Amino acid sequence: MLVSAGLVAAAGALLPWARMAYAASPAQASPAELDAFLKLGQRLTGREHLPSDISARLFAALARGDRAFGEKVTGLVRAMDAAGITDMRRFKGSAVDNDAALKALAVSIVSGWYLGYTGTPVGLAVKDDTQFITYTGALMFEPTRDVTVIPTYARAGTDYWAAAPASIATD
């Protein structure tokens, strides 16, 4: 009886992920699916609170062009559960860490949260595969937030970078 109840509970917990395979954008994903993706982000980043709107944009960016994205996420959650990864301190050296595809997926999700974009920027290129998620909400700014501001404008004025710094001769 307890085993049956446990299986029903486990199946119910995975249901949103199973349907996510067909969701290609937040508009197509249910609130439960987006909430489940947010919880995975919290688990991967070790953050108790993450903005749900940024999570939805990250989901859409990562799922764009990958119809199997939801299935991959479901596989990552299952593998993390099976490996007993309740937080990222248990990730290193785990079965998930040793699986190249699962590790790449986990890194892409964490990377999106920290960098605020997905894909790989190509310098001086007109087009690449990057997709903007957030700037001020990127987690990369968190470690120094108490002593620095998020650089959102050219502090030295427009085109400040065009002229060489006065100290260049002595640098």
Side-chain angles (χ1 to χ4, degrees):
M1 182 76 145
L2 286 174
V3 172
S4 296
L7 289 174
V8 170
L14 293 174
L15 185 58
W17 293 105
R19 291 184 319 184
M20 190 179 285
Y22 303 103
S25 72
Q28 295 173 328
S30 73
E33 292 166 338
L34 293 176
D35 186 57
F37 186 73
L38 174 63
K39 287 178 180 162
L40 176 61
Q42 292 168 330
R43 190 172 175 187
L44 289 171
T45 62
R47 308 286 176 141
E48 191 173 324
H49 302 287
L50 291 172
S52 60
D53 59 336
I54 293 174
S55 179
R57 286 196 300 264
L58 179 59
F59 170 80
L62 292 172
R64 188 168 293 131
D66 185 357
R67 295 187 58 83
F69 181 71
E71 293 173 11
K72 292 175 184 175
V73 169
T74 300
L76 175 59
V77 171
R78 287 181 181 154
M80 289 177 66
D81 289 344
I85 301 172
T86 54
D87 65 53
M88 292 309 285
R89 288 176 290 198
R90 295 180 175 205
F91 190 87
K92 187 80 175 163
S94 71
V96 179
D97 186 32
N98 294 325
D99 183 305
L102 291 175
K103 182 177 180 178
L105 178 58
V107 168
S108 71
I109 294 169
V110 171
S111 177
W113 277 109
Y114 274 89
L115 297 176
Y117 63 86
T118 62
T120 304
V122 178
L124 304 177
V126 175
K127 193 171 185 177
D128 58 30
D129 68 344
T130 58
Q131 294 184 56
F132 177 75
I133 307 299
T134 182
Y135 183 72
T136 58
L139 295 180
M140 68 176 154
F141 298 117
E142 289 291 324
T144 60
R145 185 165 286 205
D146 59 336
V147 291
T148 61
V149 296
I150 297 172
T152 57
Y153 59 92
R155 293 182 188 173
T158 304
D159 295 335
Y160 76 96
W161 46 266
S167 65
I168 195 75
T170 58
D171 287 343

